[in-house]
Amino acid sequence: MQINIVKIGGNVVDNPEALQTFVEEFSQIEGPKILVHGGGVLASRLSEKLGIEPKMVNGRRITDENTLDVVTMVYAGLVNKKIVALLQAKGENAIGLSGADGNLITSEKRPVKDIDYGFVGDIVAVNVPLLETILSHNYVPIVAAITHDKNGQLLNTNADTITAELGLGLARHHDVSLFYGFDKNGVLKDINDDQSNISEINFEKYQDLQAEKTIHSGMIPKLDNAFKAISKGISQVWLGKAEDVRKAINSKSKGTFIKTQTS
């Protein structure tokens, strides 16, 4: 089975026009597909309204107990159900899930090393048979970036990582491609110039771009996961504007394609 897994970022989720455009495009992608989302922009805004200061380190959110409540409400509640409803309006039989639903994604609380990330989960296992069952019945899983530890504890988990781990689990028996959609034309040489996208990157080029500080913040977890995925059997990884995902699937899009690591 050919499966396309698409992830959209918080800037897309937070922009009603961009989200609607994406939903239009996503609903026209044929075949089995999965959508993964976060909602970090909205979560940060709600946190501030509640007097909870958002804290980020290298593009990753520090999640204390109050912040966990906020991200769970935003990701697994408001954002997830909004996307499900929009897709249902397009005739897509979407089903909203967190990692706790059907034991889809189990994780463990990240150990404290240099940084205490709080209630952040590192993925332990993905329930691949559940995904296969859902897809075989023509449902479209919409997965929020919340997992659980099987002991009753919900954990905030990076949506880029979830995308990669779902893909790696399914890739054992299926042909899987990953598409990271956000609000830029891909990986940019100049963050202020959306036309400066790099069409292809291998691992050596990625290391050079990091050393040059061309790539930083939230782009680092995206690319870390992309290279892990491509090195472990994922057929294709692409990063670019969410509205261009369908074109990318047909190899007719701008954006950045991740190439296999070379020695």
Side-chain angles (χ1 to χ4, degrees):
M1 181 162 46
Q2 167 64 50
I3 302 170
N4 293 311
I5 304 180
V6 179
K7 184 263 179 177
I8 53 172
N11 286 325
V12 177
V13 169
D14 194 51
N15 182 324
E17 184 177 340
L19 181 59
Q20 185 64 56
T21 299
F22 168 78
V23 166
E24 291 271 0
E25 292 295 315
F26 183 78
S27 67
Q28 295 179 57
I29 296 172
E30 297 181 355
K33 57 193 174 185
I34 298 169
L35 178 62
V36 179
H37 69 85
V41 176
L42 181 56
S44 292
R45 191 163 64 245
L46 180 57
S47 291
E48 290 170 349
K49 287 182 179 178
L50 295 172
I52 304 166
E53 181 184 357
K55 297 178 181 178
M56 308 290 289
V57 176
N58 294 326
R60 299 184 187 273
R61 187 180 301 272
I62 304 296
T63 307
D64 60 17
E65 190 170 356
N66 290 330
T67 300
L68 180 64
D69 288 347
V70 173
V71 297
T72 301
M73 288 188 288
V74 171
Y75 299 173
L78 177 60
V79 171
N80 190 265
K81 300 316 167 192
K82 180 185 289 186
I83 293 173
V84 167
L86 288 171
L87 284 167
Q88 291 289 354
K90 297 296 177 185
E92 293 285 286
N93 204 358
I95 180 168
L97 300 165
S98 72
D101 296 298
N103 195 32
L104 177 61
I105 307 168
T106 55
S107 59
E108 59 186 10
K109 188 174 181 290
R110 182 170 298 167
V112 177
K113 295 181 180 178
D114 296 335
I115 301 167
D116 183 357
Y117 283 96
F119 292 97
V120 166
D122 292 325
I123 295 174
V124 173
V126 171
N127 189 344
V128 173
L130 174 62
L131 283 174
E132 291 174 325
T133 298
I134 292 170
L135 293 170
S136 70
H137 286 82
N138 298 316
Y139 289 100
V140 181
I142 312 300
V143 182
I146 298 293
T147 61
H148 77 130
D149 69 355
K150 296 187 77 172
N151 292 307
Q153 180 64 59
L154 295 171
L155 294 164
N156 182 20
T157 303
N158 183 272
D160 296 325
T161 304
I162 288 176
T163 304
E165 292 298 329
L166 293 181
L168 290 170
L170 287 163
R172 298 187 191 112
H173 303 291
H174 306 282
D175 184 7
V176 180
S177 295
L178 307 182
F179 300 87
Y180 290 92
F182 53 118
D183 60 341
K184 300 292 182 183
N185 261 334
V187 181
L188 305 179
K189 294 177 182 176
D190 179 354
I191 192 66
N192 298 311
D193 180 5
D194 207 34
Q195 301 307 310
S196 67
N197 65 293
I198 305 166
S199 60
E200 294 182 357
I201 296 180
N202 61 23
F203 190 70
E204 290 76 15
K205 179 66 173 176
Y206 174 42
Q207 290 180 311
D208 290 342
L209 291 168
Q210 277 188 292
E212 297 164 2
K213 305 297 184 183
T214 300
I215 293 175
H216 52 82
S217 302
M219 187 56 69
I220 291 174
K222 283 185 175 61
L223 288 171
D224 283 347
N225 284 295
F227 280 106
K228 176 183 176 182
I230 208 77
S231 71
K232 293 190 174 183
I234 296 295
S235 296
Q236 177 178 229
V237 181
W238 172 90
L239 303 91
K241 282 195 173 177
E243 64 197 55
D244 291 334
V245 165
R246 185 164 63 97
K247 294 178 183 177
I249 289 172
N250 297 317
S251 300
K252 296 179 180 178
S253 168
K254 287 184 178 181
T256 301
F257 285 93
I258 304 302
K259 307 302 288 185
T260 304
Q261 179 176 344
T262 58
S263 59

